[in-house]
Amino acid sequence: MPNQISLAFKDQCCKSTVQLHTSAENDVHEVVRQHYAKVVTSDKTVSGDRCGANGSCFAANVDANYAKKLGYTKEQLADIPNGANLGLGCGNPSQMANIKAGHTVLDMGSGAGFDSFIVARVVGPTGQVIGIDMIQEMVDKAQANALKSGHQNVEFRLGQIEDMPVDTETIDVIISNCVINLVPNKAKAFTEAYRVLRPNGRLAISDLVTTTDIPDNVRRDLALWAGCLAGASLISDLEKHLKSAGFVDIKIAPKDESRQFIKDWAPGLGLEDYVISANITARKP
């Protein structure tokens, strides 16, 4: 039996101590599910930085330019449904996805629908966007956003990205924004991504990676798992998972400038020395 890890951390927002235990993938899923369900149901609706250790308290970065810092353009941010941007990303996957009108696009870990709605304008009425998220509250929020904004080419489904409710070889492009790091079984997630892509389909991900091994005490910290930091993988491990799944043309491009906002996510912990945002692309032959 695996050793059970016990973690108590102080929730500065709610002034309570939360006791967590993990020994399996399901426990990581549950911690992440609870954390982000609380994010989407929080009455703090200001867009901003909700990842990192500060995200445990929903200490949103009130800087309205946060999305622009991640690479989103003014045009992309126009007419996004109110409440779709929860500030949960670490990059702009659509910027590197080469999405065309008529494409069917899958957003893995779609949250409240921010990236899905940006892509929906690109694929147009002849295309489709499918968002997958394992958190019911996120799916409900995204569906409500789609309804009130009139988007008819977007749908949101409940499911884990390690076992997606999507038919085989039906997707042209997969995007994902700062979600793979939250998944305990990354190899399975990439195998699923490969399954649902059509031949010559593409994967475009913004996520966190590590340039060196993260200390064990960080890996065991569930608050930092939920905060997008402790679950980040070594670049070499991600390359291995992608190759094993069958992907080719794999490119992982770290963004050194991201170390500044990562420093803000976990002040004083020095995790910016280990963790960095990266653009990840690959193709199914």
Side-chain angles (χ1 to χ4, degrees), residues 68-88:
K68 293 180 181 178
K69 294 177 184 177
L70 299 183
Y72 292 94
T73 66
K74 182 179 179 181
E75 291 73 24
Q76 286 179 316
L77 297 174
D79 301 322
I80 294 297
N82 185 37
N85 181 12
L86 297 177
L88 297 173

Side-chain angles (χ1 to χ4, degrees), residues 239-251:
E239 289 176 336
K240 180 175 67 176
H241 293 324
L242 286 162
K243 287 179 181 178
S244 295
F247 285 100
V248 297
D249 299 337
I250 300 165
K251 296 180 181 179

Side-chain angles (χ1 to χ4, degrees), residues 182-204:
L182 297 171
V183 177
N185 192 335
K186 294 171 178 55
K188 191 173 182 182
F190 286 128
T191 298
E192 270 291 273
Y194 188 90
R195 176 185 68 81
V196 303
L197 279 172
R198 294 186 174 113
N200 208 39
R202 300 186 301 281
L203 185 73

Side-chain angles (χ1 to χ4, degrees), residues 42-69:
S42 170
D43 60 1
K44 291 181 172 59
T45 58
V46 177
S47 297
D49 178 1
R50 297 293 189 93
C51 286
N54 284 342
S56 300
C57 295
F58 319 129
N61 183 347
V62 296
D63 180 4
N65 292 318
Y66 179 70
K68 293 180 181 178
K69 294 177 184 177

